[in-house]
Amino acid sequence: MPHFSIKDHIFMANALRIAKKGQYTAHPNPMVGCVLAKDGKIIGQGWHKKTGAAHAEINALQDAGENANGSTAYVTLEPCSQYGKTPPCFEALIKAGVKKVITATKDPSQKFSDKALESLIAAGVAVEYGLMKSAAEELNRGFLMRVTKQRPFIQLKLAVSIDGAISMKNGESQWITSSAARKDVQKLRARAGAIMTGIGTILEDDPLLNIRENNIETGGIQPIRVILDSHLRTPVTASILKLSGKNLVCCTNNKKSKNLMRLNAEVKLFKSINGLVDCREVFEELASRGINNLLIEAGPTLSGYLLERKLVDELIIYQAPHIMGSETIKLASTPSWTSLVDREELVISDTRRVGSDTRIITSFNKAN
Amino acid sequence: MPHFSIKDHIFMANALRIAKKGQYTAHPNPMVGCVLAKDGKIIGQGWHKKTGAAHAEINALQDAGENANGSTAYVTLEPCSQYGKTPPCFEALIKAGVKKVITATKDPSQKFSDKALESLIAAGVAVEYGLMKSAAEELNRGFLMRVTKQRPFIQLKLAVSIDGAISMKNGESQWITSSAARKDVQKLRARAGAIMTGIGTILEDDPLLNIRENNIETGGIQPIRVILDSHLRTPVTASILKLSGKNLVCCTNNKKSKNLMRLNAEVKLFKSINGLVDCREVFEELASRGINNLLIEAGPTLSGYLLERKLVDELIIYQAPHIMGSETIKLASTPSWTSLVDREELVISDTRRVGSDTRIITSFNKAN
């Protein structure tokens, strides 16, 4: 591992920061940022907006102009080496006279990545790797998960009272959390390529699961809405079917699919496990469609099912400052967790106030 | 309201800080701190340790010595005016030549408080009141509650998972929270004059409810342990009866009290409301015994009962980073809360990490 200077860290941190501008638009591509620096100063920067648009390196070179000659490029992901929708970036860097390329992390989706590196080295460009690697991997955890494990990064979102209730037994649940929390969920949705729910939630709440905030710049993209509906009980009157954007209804028996197919829905058959759609197969399907991040907003049945089977990567809990008491429905139905050893240990990565609520972001303790 | 300077605030903040040294020992007395300042500098300070020991003002005067002459006294509670266990402080302040007395808050327990003020003024001592009043009231909220409302300040402590469970349905509950959280509870206990639980917890968990941490300096004082046991079901084998310190068993029918009375227990009869001990009467009894702060550590039945009747001033939730799921017992049984409007809205005053857990201190939204 080369020794990187403080300046190197500052420039890469900047590249990571601008890469994040693509959080609502870059997917299925990774978010990438590029900073060009010369004589200790930034002389150009760029980020990747969306599929088909210029890559971060090209935007940075354009920003720097002729000044790019003799500069160092800080790129959050290794420069592409493929002749795809745009010419490969490593060629542009060589051509512009960049003398050094520092990358944070490799791109496992690139089949010929060593070729790019070799070309750079052959052209006399110094190449260093691994600066702020874990931050860069965190930034593109969804993309990396998809290309290495053929499934999206899976977030489960829950809106609960301080005592873990999601609704009263009489069904009342609107609204437990504040409007600020609901706005925050809109951003979660915008970062995801797909939003999944279960048939229970469709029947109970008739949700929209779309992005309704105008000030989130997704370029009009709506995430695919995925309904786990093993026995095709989604009613043709469901509000979700009347929205623009794609609905994918996942079932184990598509005999009754005609009516839904006439509406805005793709009905797809999946393997059945004990009469229920095989979630893992759905996740694979979503990855094959370029979904990096899947957000699940579900009721206690699906949430509990996924938790019991350890199918969730991250849990996002919006906790409202209310005690709702015992006559309520809890966040997850987990019939197989009967002993204290069954509980799922969490690692809290972030806790913050969102409006009057507390947002807790947790992952699962892999040690257990 | 007089205009206080930044220096005034600094000195009173200091007096409040040292007053808190009495948190484990001063009760039933209030915590009091006194700072003597002259020429912009602290020349003496003192706090009140316990009943019978010198008052804060006397300790500060002793600390300052002859230098006290011409100084300003910052006292968190107005100086006492009564000839009680110690001579009244206002006389000592006059005698020492203090030229100004600034107090944070009045002492509603003093019957002749105006007399002290009048004497000070007659002796040419300037008197000002109200500096950092709310902080001083917060410090002695238990004492103030007792002397103005004839009941203690009531805290309900709960140790739960992130989804609001206190145990598995099979009864397993040791331990949900971390040892750091349990150590923190020891401090809560040491600040309280009494610890209350219900008969359900006695039968289920056989708790000790005592202070076991050696590094909390309570001077060997143990809080009174109060058991709400309407029908005297406390078994003679209960561990709590074998401890030093006082046990008060509250019942509505004391026919079976003989065996308990032979052990370390006072059995007292209270009014019955629907067959259960009238909690309000117990709270009054505790206040009459000088209890400023009551800590309740109970199971879902008593916790829910108190929450439903709005009998709690502050809720302290230790939340462990675990999901325990649906096969669990929740923190409070609240059969009367059937609709979303029944939920209890909370105001969070403090959230912090204690070991691996999160401690959330909340009060109830009085607006509702």
Side-chain angles (χ1 to χ4, degrees):
Chain A
M1 173 80 74
H3 177 76
F4 296 111
S5 70
I6 291 175
K7 277 272 182 183
D8 287 337
H9 280 84
I10 291 171
F11 296 142
M12 187 60 88
N14 209 65
L16 284 164
R17 192 178 55 75
I18 60 170
K20 217 180 166 182
K21 289 188 179 188
Q23 65 181 328
Y24 301 131
T25 51
H27 54 88
N29 286 357
M31 291 171 244
V32 187
C34 175
V35 160
L36 294 169
K38 199 156 86 175
D39 304 328
K41 281 182 190 149
I42 294 177
I43 56 154
Q45 54 185 22
W47 55 282
H48 176 55
K49 187 162 184 182
K50 60 177 184 179
T51 304
H55 283 192
E57 298 90 325
I58 307 301
N59 286 327
L61 289 172
Q62 219 156 41
D63 189 31
E66 287 186 5
N67 207 4
N69 189 32
S71 68
T72 297
Y74 296 83
V75 200
T76 59
L77 195 75
E78 64 173 316
C80 77
S81 58
Q82 283 160 289
Y83 291 83
K85 288 168 184 163
T86 52
C89 294
F90 77 93
E91 281 191 6
L93 290 165
I94 294 168
K95 206 170 143 190
V98 167
K99 64 166 189 186
K100 192 176 183 179
V101 174
I102 303 181
T103 61
T105 178
K106 296 206 176 188
D107 179 354
S109 74
Q110 294 209 40
K111 286 169 196 148
F112 312 102
S113 70
D114 285 344
K115 198 183 127 193
L117 281 179
E118 280 163 26
S119 304
L120 285 163
I121 293 162
V125 180
V127 175
E128 286 178 358
Y129 161 75
L131 172 58
M132 301 187 76
K133 183 168 179 270
S134 58
E137 283 175 352
E138 175 70 17
L139 180 74
N140 281 311
R141 61 190 186 182
F143 170 78
L144 295 172
M145 187 72 89
R146 174 170 68 80
V147 299
T148 60
K149 302 205 171 165
Q150 290 74 54
R151 68 166 179 87
F153 184 88
I154 298 169
Q155 292 180 307
L156 175 63
K157 173 231 124 183
L158 297 162
V160 299
S161 64
I162 212 165
D163 55 340
I166 59 159
S167 73
M168 299 305 294
K169 279 184 182 163
N170 71 8
E172 281 181 281
S173 70
Q174 282 173 333
W175 297 100
I176 289 172
T177 48
S178 63
S179 64
R182 297 199 300 279
K183 273 193 181 181
D184 200 60
V185 172
Q186 289 278 306
K187 287 185 196 163
L188 284 186
R189 287 183 185 171
R191 280 185 212 111
I195 319 285
M196 177 184 277
T197 195
I199 180 63
T201 300
I202 293 290
L203 295 172
E204 190 95 12
D205 297 343
D206 191 24
L208 295 175
L209 301 177
N210 61 350
I211 302 163
R212 298 187 286 274
E213 278 287 315
N214 291 323
N215 56 2
I216 303 175
E217 287 175 14
T218 62
I221 305 168
Q222 285 286 347
I224 302 177
R225 296 174 293 269
V226 184
I227 306 170
L228 291 190
D229 182 11
S230 303
H231 310 297
L232 278 193
R233 293 187 290 150
T234 299
V236 291
T237 54
S239 300
I240 210 167
L241 300 173
K242 298 183 186 91
L243 298 175
S244 65
K246 228 174 146 39
N247 294 301
L248 174 65
V249 183
C250 308
C251 64
T252 58
N253 180 334
N254 62 358
K255 273 185 195 154
K256 296 181 287 181
S257 65
K258 258 189 198 161
N259 286 334
L260 284 176
M261 303 272 270
R262 263 189 228 117
L263 295 156
N264 177 21
E266 175 188 351
V267 177
K268 198 167 162 65
L269 205 61
F270 289 88
K271 202 168 75 191
S272 156
I273 296 187
N274 300 325
L276 299 173
V277 164
D278 178 1
C279 288
R280 284 189 184 83
E281 212 179 51
V282 175
F283 298 153
E284 269 171 40
E285 172 67 24
L286 293 173
S288 78
R289 294 181 185 208
I291 303 302
N292 295 335
N293 292 288
L294 170 64
L295 176 67
I296 302 178
E297 302 188 45
T301 308
L302 180 53
S303 295
Y305 182 92
L306 296 169
L307 287 170
E308 283 184 320
R309 283 157 190 79
K310 300 182 188 292
L311 292 173
V312 175
D313 294 307
E314 190 172 80
L315 202 57
I316 300 174
I317 303 173
Y318 293 89
Q319 199 176 59
H322 295 119
I323 288 207
M324 285 172 59
S326 54
E327 307 313 295
T328 52
I329 292 167
K330 305 308 176 190
L331 55 84
S333 173
T334 54
S336 75
W337 292 357
T338 56
S339 174
L340 209 51
V341 297
D342 297 322
R343 68 181 163 174
E344 192 67 69
E345 207 168 313
L346 304 169
V347 178
I348 295 176
S349 56
D350 188 81
T351 301
R352 68 182 64 189
R353 203 65 78 89
V354 176
S356 56
D357 304 317
T358 304
R359 187 189 69 191
I360 307 166
I361 301 183
T362 74
S363 54
F364 297 87
N365 194 343
K366 303 288 184 210
N368 291 286
Chain B
M1 174 79 73
H3 177 76
F4 297 110
S5 69
I6 291 176
K7 277 272 182 185
D8 288 337
H9 280 85
I10 291 171
F11 295 143
M12 187 60 89
N14 209 65
L16 285 165
R17 191 178 56 75
I18 60 170
K20 217 179 166 182
K21 289 189 178 186
Q23 65 181 328
Y24 300 131
T25 51
H27 55 88
N29 286 357
M31 289 170 247
V32 187
C34 175
V35 159
L36 294 170
K38 200 156 88 174
D39 304 328
K41 280 181 191 148
I42 293 178
I43 57 154
Q45 53 186 21
W47 54 283
H48 176 55
K49 187 162 184 183
K50 59 176 183 179
T51 304
H55 283 192
E57 299 90 326
I58 307 302
N59 285 328
L61 289 171
Q62 221 155 39
D63 189 31
E66 286 186 4
N67 206 5
N69 189 33
S71 69
T72 297
Y74 296 83
V75 201
T76 59
L77 196 75
E78 65 173 316
C80 78
S81 57
Q82 283 160 290
Y83 291 83
K85 288 170 185 160
T86 51
C89 294
F90 78 94
E91 281 191 6
L93 291 165
I94 293 169
K95 206 170 145 192
V98 167
K99 65 165 190 187
K100 191 175 181 179
V101 174
I102 303 182
T103 61
T105 177
K106 296 205 176 186
D107 179 353
S109 75
Q110 294 210 39
K111 287 170 195 147
F112 310 103
S113 71
D114 284 346
K115 199 183 129 194
L117 280 180
E118 278 163 25
S119 305
L120 285 164
I121 292 163
V125 179
V127 174
E128 286 178 357
Y129 161 76
L131 171 58
M132 302 187 76
K133 182 166 179 271
S134 58
E137 284 174 352
E138 175 70 14
L139 181 72
N140 281 311
R141 60 190 187 182
F143 170 77
L144 295 172
M145 186 72 89
R146 174 170 68 79
V147 300
T148 60
K149 303 205 172 165
Q150 291 73 53
R151 69 165 180 86
F153 185 87
I154 298 169
Q155 292 181 307
L156 175 63
K157 173 233 126 182
L158 297 161
V160 299
S161 65
I162 213 165
D163 55 341
I166 58 159
S167 73
M168 299 305 294
K169 280 184 182 162
N170 71 9
E172 281 182 281
S173 69
Q174 283 172 333
W175 297 100
I176 289 173
T177 48
S178 63
S179 64
R182 296 199 300 280
K183 274 192 180 182
D184 200 61
V185 172
Q186 290 277 305
K187 288 186 195 162
L188 284 185
R189 288 184 183 169
R191 281 186 211 111
I195 318 288
M196 177 185 276
T197 195
I199 181 63
T201 300
I202 293 290
L203 295 173
E204 189 94 12
D205 297 344
D206 191 25
L208 295 175
L209 301 178
N210 62 350
I211 302 164
R212 298 187 286 275
E213 277 287 316
N214 291 322
N215 56 3
I216 303 175
E217 288 175 14
T218 62
I221 305 168
Q222 285 286 349
I224 302 176
R225 296 175 293 267
V226 184
I227 306 169
L228 291 189
D229 182 11
S230 304
H231 311 296
L232 278 193
R233 292 188 292 150
T234 300
V236 291
T237 53
S239 301
I240 209 168
L241 301 173
K242 298 182 187 92
L243 298 174
S244 65
K246 229 174 143 40
N247 294 301
L248 174 66
V249 183
C250 308
C251 64
T252 58
N253 181 332
N254 61 359
K255 272 184 196 155
K256 296 181 288 181
S257 64
K258 257 188 199 162
N259 287 335
L260 284 177
M261 303 272 270
R262 260 188 230 120
L263 296 156
N264 177 22
E266 175 189 352
V267 178
K268 198 169 161 67
L269 205 62
F270 288 88
K271 204 168 72 191
S272 155
I273 296 184
N274 300 326
L276 298 173
V277 164
D278 178 0
C279 288
R280 284 188 183 83
E281 212 178 52
V282 176
F283 298 154
E284 270 172 38
E285 172 68 24
L286 293 173
S288 78
R289 295 181 184 208
I291 303 303
N292 295 336
N293 292 287
L294 170 64
L295 177 66
I296 302 177
E297 302 187 45
T301 308
L302 180 53
S303 296
Y305 182 92
L306 296 168
L307 287 170
E308 283 183 322
R309 284 155 189 82
K310 298 182 189 293
L311 291 173
V312 175
D313 295 307
E314 190 172 82
L315 202 57
I316 300 173
I317 303 173
Y318 293 89
Q319 200 177 58
H322 296 120
I323 289 207
M324 284 171 57
S326 54
E327 307 313 294
T328 53
I329 292 167
K330 304 307 178 193
L331 56 85
S333 173
T334 55
S336 75
W337 291 358
T338 55
S339 173
L340 210 52
V341 297
D342 298 321
R343 67 179 163 176
E344 193 66 69
E345 208 168 312
L346 303 169
V347 179
I348 295 175
S349 57
D350 189 80
T351 302
R352 69 182 64 189
R353 203 64 79 88
V354 177
S356 56
D357 305 316
T358 303
R359 188 189 68 193
I360 307 167
I361 301 183
T362 74
S363 54
F364 297 88
N365 194 343
K366 304 288 184 210
N368 291 285

